[in-house]
Amino acid sequence: QVQLVESGGGLVQAGGSLRLSCTESGRTFNTYAMGWFRQAPGKEREFVAAISWSGAATYDADSVKGRFTISRDNAKNTVYLQVTNLKPEDTAVYYCAIRSLPYYLGTRDANDYDYWGQGTQVTVSS
């Protein structure tokens, strides 16, 4: 059974940084693309970043480009989201997700992902 566990969220002042982690257990992690999404109160879930199974290809939303970086360590079954220069509008629950088609690229479409973590809260104060 796939299990994704996020960590690293918290309360931070505007301009601050965090590193979010998502660890997967139970599958062949290094063959699957991963994505990060977020959902703010009263808003729909939105794409943040995605990374291919090998880590060679990454995609970012325009709203986070230059501030957020996705990476992965396949030896640790973990994908990371380094978030810097945080803004109050970045406040949301951040979710990681796995696309369980081997050797596929990540996408911006949440419907392409099959398993989701429970989320980690990021709150940015002004």
Side-chain angles (χ1 to χ4, degrees), residues 29-111:
F29 175 82
N30 60 3
T31 64
Y32 299 111
M34 301 291 294
W36 283 97
F37 292 78
R38 66 185 181 185
Q39 187 166 20
K43 295 187 177 182
E44 293 186 353
R45 188 170 298 189
E46 66 171 350
F47 169 77
V48 175
I51 189 166
S52 64
W53 61 274
S54 67
T58 62
Y59 312 90
D60 305 317
D62 290 341
S63 60
V64 306
K65 199 172 294 291
R67 300 189 298 122
F68 291 11
T69 303
I70 189 171
S71 62
R72 66 190 298 161
D73 185 341
N74 285 343
K76 296 182 179 179
N77 281 18
T78 300
V79 62
Y80 303 98
L81 186 68
Q82 181 71 45
V83 297
T84 64
N85 192 20
L86 282 161
K87 305 175 181 180
E89 53 264 41
D90 294 319
T91 295
V93 178
Y94 284 70
Y95 299 91
C96 70
I98 190 167
R99 189 182 190 199
S100 60
L101 290 174
Y103 306 112
Y104 271 60
L105 299 176
T107 76
R108 295 173 170 81
D109 187 347
N111 293 318

